[in-house]
Amino acid sequence: KAGVTQTPRYLIKTRGQQVTLSCSPISGHRSVSWYQQTPGQGLQFLFEYFSETQRNKGNFPGRFSGRQFSNSRSEMNVSTLELGDSALYLCASSLPGTGSYNEQFFGPGTRLTVL
Amino acid sequence: QQQVKQSPQSLIVQKGGISIINCAYENTAFDYFPWYQQFPGKGPALLIAIRPDVSEKKEGRFTISFNKSAKQFSLHIMDSQPGDSATYFCAASMGYQFYFGTGTSLTVIP
């Protein structure tokens, strides 16, 4: 079974631009979560989608948004990029469920550099 | 506010030694505590996980010790190997939201 895929793997943008990152979950997984990973901060939760609905959102500004499509693929968008948005953006998928015991499977991430 | 605090930030261990990474949390509503291992250029991968009704869980060379009253849990890697060199993250979750520690970079010296 194919793992979680993220595209693109690397991205270089300049301040003020916007960017869209894509995530394809493991087949059959309907929950997709996004995280921002930076040195010293670890993984910071951005948002989680299940069946095209955002169920939870982390403490990030409104410049960060996301969506999920009917095939469970997800995109996240960052508008008006700032230098501090440079990070590794990770997507994780899991099987549907209401509990927290569902293992999250992570993709390799998209490395975003803002110049 | 960091929901899960992890220490140390980095750790160097000799081959065959024991690696110990500690995490602490505040929210007693957390009900699942996984550890993830991440190699450079890869996403984190689940290593081992524990629920709060268990005090210890062992899988091969990896053991989680859980102290519910102290709200602390730790990862022990026995007989550490150079291949274990990676970044380790603890996490805690309730529902479908996960909170991660800041990571520990482990280097195992041959």
Side-chain angles (χ1 to χ4, degrees), chain B residues 12-25:
Chain B
I12 300 174
V13 174
Q14 293 274 18
K15 178 183 176 181
I18 302 174
S19 304
I20 302 175
I21 305 170
N22 300 299
C23 285
Y25 65 97

Side-chain angles (χ1 to χ4, degrees), chain B residues 27-65:
Chain B
N27 194 335
T28 56
F30 289 140
D31 58 2
Y32 179 62
F33 301 87
W35 284 88
Y36 287 83
Q37 180 188 56
Q38 184 178 29
F39 293 104
K42 304 285 187 181
L46 179 67
L47 190 61
I48 186 173
I50 198 169
R51 301 183 209 175
D53 54 349
V54 177
S55 62
E56 184 176 283
K57 184 174 182 180
K58 184 176 181 179
E59 289 184 2
R61 296 184 294 108
F62 301 91
T63 299
I64 298 179
S65 296

Side-chain angles (χ1 to χ4, degrees), chain A residues 42-71:
Chain A
L43 281 74
Q44 302 290 314
F45 173 75
L46 281 156
F47 25 67
E48 188 261 354
Y49 287 88
F50 178 76
S51 292
E52 301 179 66
T53 300
Q54 186 183 91
R55 293 198 293 189
N56 213 343
K57 190 178 190 302
N59 189 26
F60 277 81
R63 299 184 298 106
F64 292 82
S65 63
R67 60 177 175 170
Q68 187 181 33
F69 302 94
S70 58
N71 62 357

Side-chain angles (χ1 to χ4, degrees), chain A residues 19-38:
Chain A
V19 66
T20 299
L21 312 181
S22 180
C23 171
S24 292
I26 292 172
S27 178
H29 288 195
R30 291 166 59 193
S31 171
V32 173
S33 298
W34 287 90
Y35 296 87
Q36 180 193 65
Q37 183 177 11
T38 55

